[in-house]
């Protein structure tokens, strides 16, 4: 008689039947348990398939090794590069984010905390290391082994290799000196006339100086700290001497998403026009920003790119914006495709959410940015070329050997968008410092740009009113979704307007800009407070208000988010479009979806709905999806229960998507404070080991 898992895994841990299942001693029993976890959605089928592959490759493998491999694969799906055995044993359920969001914990189950309760760290490491499937670091002759154990971290080999590639490439770049522009102090002074206010360090100026002396540098800072302004001046600083010598540098700009690329294209074009440099230099500073995938030459259906070490990118300087969205694999590919002599400059906010895929590269590389850790030599050089003292900068002294990367990282610290009087800025800073109680007190104050709404149940009509009319302060106040929908009709060209009249494109552009007046953000996807539930709610509210006719899948006014790059249509993951009714050449009104072009021209492209397969309604989007975007009024909706994704990074990112007003929507008290007190813990070993 075959055993059923339900018979073997009763809910009570002490149940007699549970003793019959021994997942840590029997591979057979472990596979039964893993199958059950896949059925419940706790593991991916991919995680289970890896275990099957390992068992085929080495029959009779130790179940402790197979369990660790399944969990390492599972962690990749949650953004972690590896499995940290110590953290997993210390807090199994939290470290593994199990049970997952939405699991009601009904029926027979066995939690990781129950499974691992009697397992000790030494035994687990020893048993893993003994497997012929596992290499320990760079052990000679073990390069074909699919798993790598490095200290307490277990990797799938590919991701261990990515880490080593990045680590080695960055160390080489940091060690390679670049030719510093002649008369650097004078050139800096010309570009930064006026400088920072009296008594403040001009961090933008120092960032430019540092970036001139090595093949790799990072400029990090929050919204409004001047990252784009800084990099434009840096490009002028680098390009000036090259133009004078008749050998202008080949400069390329890129960002992870089409939306981020479009934003940088627009802002960098404006900044270049303001530069006080010669027309020749200005003409050699590009304003066109590509996506990273397009820059590298992505190949459909393949993880390989046209550009790599054997066919490097034809450039001298590469600037990557929104670098917090770059995952481990993409960073490894990018560094591999760079010519050894090229400079790489990363821009981004280290405090934002990390990439959706595995790794938190910018966060790992900027771990010392706050303290500085500049060596005495670096500080002296900066003071010399920058013409300002760092005596009262608050930086922690460091050593170049212990902190080699820190010598090329600058954190911009003064926000021009969110000054001391900005409620959004104050709230973002408090959340970033994990001062939950002070953040709560700020939310209770009556500020023009920060609003809190504590709901009285799921059907609180005040939330519906906010969705419709924002904060109800009139046409100049923070808006809801009624604003853009009314503009569709109010701004529409007359019915007799010819199909090829440019007014249709202008109208579509106005509607798209109107939509950016308000955006609902969520922490999770499932449940009434997730993307799915809130998109349904907003659709219902707008339909009941007579603003949309949502009886059909496609209707005028429907906003959609592209969820996968489509190079044939020129659409990128993260692009937002709105369905609008326009006349065809016969004058018949047809629905087409308007998207802003990603070239900084301000133009609009129209796509038939039938050609859009990878899109979803986007009245609500996750905070992750919102990265690289900004909205006049942003409302962040927290779930009513604590979830592993709720961290101070998520809340901070949601707050800083707002340009003029931020609203926090709370279905249950206390979740905000709990989220602020938790940090993202992306497990990796980047820049921790010697190459």
């Amino acid at each position: 008689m075959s055993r059923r898992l339900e018979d073997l895994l009763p809910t009570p841990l002490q149940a007699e039947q549970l003793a019959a299942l021994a997942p840590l001693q029997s591979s057979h029993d472990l596979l039964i348990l893993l199958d059950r976890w896949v059925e419940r959605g706790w593991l991916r089928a991919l995680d289970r398939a890896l275990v099957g592959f390992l068992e085929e490759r080495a029959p009779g493998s130790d179940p402790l090794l197979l369990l660790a491999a399944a969990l390492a694969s599972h962690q990749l799906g949650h953004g972690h590069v590896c499995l940290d055995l110590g953290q997993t044993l210390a807090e199994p359920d939290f470290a593994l984010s199990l049970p997952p969001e939405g699991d009601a914990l009904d029926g027979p189950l066995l939690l990781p905390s129950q499974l691992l309760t009697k397992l000790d760290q030494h035994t687990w490491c020893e048993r893993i290391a003994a497997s012929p499937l596992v290499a320990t670091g760079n052990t000679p002759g073990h390069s074909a082994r699919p798993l790598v154990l490095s200290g307490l971290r277990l990797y799938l080999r590919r991701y261990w290799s990515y880490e080593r590639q990045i680590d080695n490439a960055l160390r080489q770049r940091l060690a390679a000196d670049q030719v510093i522009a002649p008369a650097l102090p004078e050139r800096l002074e010309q570009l930064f006339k006026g400088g920072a206010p009296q008594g403040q360090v001009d961090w933008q100026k120092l960032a430019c100086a540092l970036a001139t002396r090595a093949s790799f540098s990072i400029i990090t800072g929050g919204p409004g700290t001047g990252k784009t302004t800084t990099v434009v001046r840096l490009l002028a600083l680098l390009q000036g001497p090259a133009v004078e010598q008749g050998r202008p540098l080949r400069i390329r700009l890129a960002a992870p998403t089409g939306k981020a690329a479009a934003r940088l294209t627009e802002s960098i074009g404006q900044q270049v026009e303001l530069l006080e440099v010669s027309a020749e230099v200005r003409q050699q500073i590009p304003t066109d920003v590509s996506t990273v995938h397009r820059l590298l030459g992505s190949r459909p259906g393949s993880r390989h790119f046209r550009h790599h070490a054997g066919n490097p990118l034809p450039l001298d300087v590469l600037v990557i914006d929104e670098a917090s969205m770059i995952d481990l694999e993409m960073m490894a590919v990018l560094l591999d495709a760079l010519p050894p002599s090229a400079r790489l400059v990363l821009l981004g906010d280290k405090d934002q959410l990390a990439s959706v895929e595995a790794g938190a590269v910018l966060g790992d590389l900027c771990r010392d940015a706050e303290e500085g850790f500049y060596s005495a030599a670096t500080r002296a050089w900066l003071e010399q070329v920058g013409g300002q003292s760092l005596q009262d900068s608050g930086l922690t002294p460091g050593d170049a050997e212990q902190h080699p990367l820190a010598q090329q990282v600058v954190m911009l610290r003064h926000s021009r968008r969110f000054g001391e009087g900005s409620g959004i800025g104050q709230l973002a800073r408090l959340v970033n410092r994990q001062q939950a109680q002070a953040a709560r007190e700020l939310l209770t104050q009556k500020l023009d740009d920060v609003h809190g709404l504590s709901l009285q149940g799921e059907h609180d009509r005040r939330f519906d009113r906010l969705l419709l009319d924002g904060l109800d302060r009139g046409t100049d106040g923070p808006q809801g979704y009624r604003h853009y929908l009314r503009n569709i009709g109010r701004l529409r060209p007359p019915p007799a307007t010819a199909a090829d009249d440019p007014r249709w494109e202008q109208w579509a552009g106005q509607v798209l800009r109107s939509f950016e007046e308000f955006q609902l953000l969520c922490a999770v996807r499932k449940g009434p407070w997730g993307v799915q539930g809130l998109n349904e709610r907003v659709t219902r509210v707008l339909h009941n208000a007579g603003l949309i006719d949502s009886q059909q899948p496609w209707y005028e006014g429907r906003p959609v988010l592209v969820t996968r790059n489509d190079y044939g249509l020129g659409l990128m993951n993260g692009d937002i479009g709105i369905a609008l009714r326009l006349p065809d050449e016969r004058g018949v009104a047809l629905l087409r979806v308007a998207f802003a072009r990603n070239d900084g021209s301000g133009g609009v492209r129209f796509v038939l709905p039938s050609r859009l397969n990878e899109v979803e309604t986007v009245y609500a989007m996750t905070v992750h999806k919102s990265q690289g975007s900004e909205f006049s009024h942003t409302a962040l909706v927290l779930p009513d229960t604590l979830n592993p994704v709720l961290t101070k990074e998520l809340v901070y990112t949601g707050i800083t998507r707002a340009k003029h007003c931020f609203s926090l929507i709370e279905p249950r008290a206390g979740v905000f404070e709990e989220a602020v007190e938790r940090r993202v813990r992306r497990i990796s070993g980047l820049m921790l080991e010697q190459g």
Side-chain angles (χ1 to χ4, degrees):
M1 180 177 176
S2 62
R3 297 183 297 176
R4 295 185 309 156
L5 186 63
E6 286 79 359
D7 298 329
L8 298 170
L9 294 179
T11 302
L13 183 61
Q14 295 79 16
E16 184 178 334
Q17 297 96 325
L18 188 59
L21 189 68
L24 302 188
Q25 287 78 44
S26 164
S27 296
H28 177 266
D29 285 2
L30 175 66
L31 295 178
I32 292 176
L33 176 61
L34 296 182
D35 285 338
R36 174 61 172 161
W37 283 3
V38 171
E39 290 171 12
R40 293 191 70 110
W42 290 18
L43 292 183
R44 302 171 297 174
L46 180 66
D47 308 327
R48 172 62 177 83
L50 172 66
V51 174
F53 163 76
L54 296 175
E55 180 71 1
E56 285 181 11
R57 184 160 172 174
S61 288
D62 191 324
L64 287 182
L65 176 276
L66 296 178
L67 173 63
L71 296 180
S73 177
H74 164 78
Q75 290 294 71
L76 282 172
H78 286 264
H80 304 290
V81 174
C82 54
L83 175 72
D84 187 302
L85 302 176
Q87 288 188 19
T88 301
L89 290 176
E91 297 180 277
D93 298 341
F94 183 77
L96 299 170
S97 300
L98 291 175
E101 172 194 344
D103 193 300
L105 296 182
D106 55 342
L109 53 87
L110 184 62
L111 294 169
S113 53
Q114 296 170 314
L115 177 65
L116 300 173
T117 184
K118 294 182 180 179
L119 184 61
D120 70 88
Q121 182 176 292
H122 176 74
T123 299
W124 204 7
C125 283
E126 193 174 60
R127 299 266 290 272
I128 290 171
S131 170
L133 297 168
V134 178
T136 52
N138 279 319
T139 305
H142 290 179
S143 60
R145 297 189 177 189
L147 301 171
V148 178
L149 183 64
S150 179
L152 293 177
R153 299 189 300 276
L154 181 67
Y155 294 82
L156 273 64
R157 174 166 289 280
R158 177 192 296 161
Y159 289 89
W160 181 83
S161 298
Y162 289 150
E163 271 198 2
R164 297 302 94 224
Q165 282 178 245
I166 294 171
D167 194 298
N168 293 335
L170 292 185
R171 290 181 190 278
Q172 290 173 15
R173 289 185 169 276
L174 292 170
D177 292 329
Q178 285 278 3
V179 177
I180 297 175
L184 180 59
E186 292 77 13
R187 292 178 186 272
L188 282 168
E189 190 60 34
Q190 181 183 357
L191 287 166
F192 289 89
K193 289 177 181 176
Q198 186 68 29
Q200 288 187 10
V201 174
D202 192 339
W203 297 106
Q204 294 184 13
K205 189 177 185 181
L206 297 187
C208 282
L210 272 186
T212 64
R213 68 175 197 165
S215 298
F216 178 74
S217 58
I218 299 176
I219 301 172
T220 185
T225 52
K227 295 186 292 293
T228 304
T229 302
T230 303
V231 81
V232 167
R233 293 178 181 179
L234 169 61
L235 296 180
L237 189 64
L238 295 173
Q239 194 66 282
V243 169
E244 292 167 8
Q245 295 168 15
R247 296 193 300 271
L249 298 171
R250 298 167 298 171
I251 300 173
R252 294 296 304 272
L253 311 173
T257 67
K259 187 74 173 177
R263 276 191 56 221
L264 182 59
T265 296
E266 182 178 356
S267 60
I268 211 163
Q270 296 168 352
Q271 292 291 334
V272 168
E273 290 302 314
L274 298 175
L275 281 173
E276 294 186 18
V277 296
S278 68
E280 292 80 10
V281 172
R282 190 180 292 111
Q283 289 169 5
Q284 294 296 334
I285 299 176
T287 57
D288 180 49
V289 184
S290 166
T291 63
V292 174
H293 279 80
R294 181 164 288 180
L295 174 77
L296 291 169
S298 63
R299 294 174 174 173
S302 169
R303 66 192 320 141
H304 299 293
F305 294 84
R306 186 162 53 87
H307 289 290
H308 45 76
N311 180 31
L313 290 161
L315 52 78
D316 301 303
V317 180
L318 175 61
V319 175
I320 303 291
D321 193 23
E322 296 289 353
S324 63
M325 300 165 69
I326 300 285
D327 60 73
L328 188 80
E329 179 178 1
M330 183 54 66
M331 183 58 73
V333 170
L334 196 59
L335 287 167
D336 186 56
L338 274 182
S341 60
R343 298 177 193 263
L344 174 62
V345 181
L346 300 183
L347 303 179
D349 185 347
K350 69 179 181 63
D351 297 313
Q352 276 192 189
L353 279 171
S355 58
V356 176
E357 302 299 330
V361 178
L362 188 70
D364 286 341
L365 299 181
C366 290
R367 63 168 60 93
D368 297 330
E370 194 89 36
E371 293 83 0
F373 287 121
Y374 295 145
S375 68
T378 297
R379 289 171 68 111
W381 185 83
L382 284 173
E383 290 181 340
Q384 176 199 345
V385 300
Q388 53 189 327
S389 172
L390 296 179
Q391 184 68 36
D392 300 320
S393 63
L395 296 175
T396 303
D399 180 271
E401 289 191 8
Q402 291 185 348
H403 301 98
L405 179 61
Q407 312 309 306
Q408 288 303 123
V409 177
V410 175
M411 179 176 169
L412 307 181
R413 299 160 192 263
H414 304 300
S415 176
R416 288 155 179 80
R417 184 193 307 168
F418 301 138
E420 292 301 321
S422 163
I424 295 175
Q426 292 178 59
L427 184 62
R429 286 189 287 272
L430 291 171
V431 166
N432 210 17
R433 296 169 188 157
Q434 296 187 280
Q435 297 176 357
Q437 191 54 46
R440 168 61 64 195
E441 292 172 3
L442 185 72
L443 283 165
T444 61
Q445 299 176 22
K446 294 187 180 299
L447 302 174
D448 289 339
D449 60 344
V450 171
H451 173 69
L453 178 59
S454 298
L455 301 181
Q456 305 298 318
E458 184 177 333
H459 304 290
D460 193 324
R461 297 296 296 275
R462 293 177 300 161
F463 182 37
D464 293 345
R465 289 196 292 272
L466 182 141
L467 295 173
L468 281 168
D469 298 312
L471 301 187
D472 202 19
R473 296 179 188 167
T475 56
D476 294 329
Q479 299 296 319
Y481 285 129
R482 189 193 301 271
H483 173 69
Y484 93 92
L485 289 167
R486 277 188 169 171
N487 276 350
I488 291 177
R490 188 173 65 84
L491 303 175
R492 188 193 304 272
T497 305
D500 59 355
D501 193 301
R503 283 182 289 177
W504 289 111
E505 184 174 335
Q506 294 166 6
W507 166 65
Q510 289 175 306
V511 173
L512 286 166
R513 288 189 291 275
S514 294
F515 184 75
E516 293 179 351
E517 290 292 311
F518 176 63
Q519 182 62 57
L520 196 61
L521 301 182
C522 312
V524 297
R525 290 197 61 84
K526 299 178 182 177
W529 308 112
V531 168
Q532 296 171 2
L534 285 172
N535 272 322
E536 292 172 3
R537 178 171 184 160
V538 177
T539 301
R540 184 171 61 252
V541 168
L542 297 179
H543 179 86
N544 291 342
L547 294 168
I548 60 172
D549 181 3
S550 59
Q551 294 179 329
Q552 299 297 324
W554 283 100
Y555 53 86
E556 186 167 53
R558 181 192 176 193
V560 293
L561 178 78
V562 177
T563 58
R564 180 175 296 180
N565 293 344
D566 188 327
Y567 294 106
L569 294 176
L571 299 176
M572 299 292 112
N573 184 2
D575 285 353
I576 291 177
I578 297 177
L580 297 173
R581 201 170 295 280
L582 296 96
D584 63 9
E585 60 277 1
R586 299 166 299 166
V588 178
L590 296 175
L591 271 182
R592 279 177 260 175
V593 185
F595 292 91
R597 293 187 180 274
N598 292 324
D599 56 7
S601 66
V604 174
R605 75 177 78 235
F606 295 100
V607 181
L608 289 171
S610 59
R611 299 191 66 189
L612 296 172
N613 298 317
E614 303 291 342
V615 296
E616 59 184 32
T617 300
V618 71
Y619 294 116
M621 70 167 71
T622 61
V623 175
H624 260 114
K625 283 288 187 182
S626 74
Q627 291 189 96
S629 300
E630 294 175 336
F631 309 94
S632 295
H633 177 202
T634 298
L636 173 62
V637 183
L638 297 179
D640 55 359
T641 57
L642 194 60
N643 185 290
V645 304
L646 286 173
T647 61
K648 69 103 172 173
E649 286 85 359
L650 180 136
V651 177
Y652 169 84
T653 303
I655 293 169
T656 54
R657 297 312 89 205
K659 289 193 289 187
H660 304 304
C661 184
F662 171 75
S663 294
L664 179 70
I665 314 300
E666 298 179 90
R668 182 176 75 79
V671 173
F672 171 76
E673 285 82 356
E674 291 173 328
V676 171
E677 289 167 358
R678 292 166 55 184
R679 300 179 64 99
V680 166
R681 294 194 302 177
R682 283 282 176 98
I683 301 167
S684 79
L686 188 59
M687 299 299 286
L688 294 183
E689 302 174 19
Q690 295 299 316

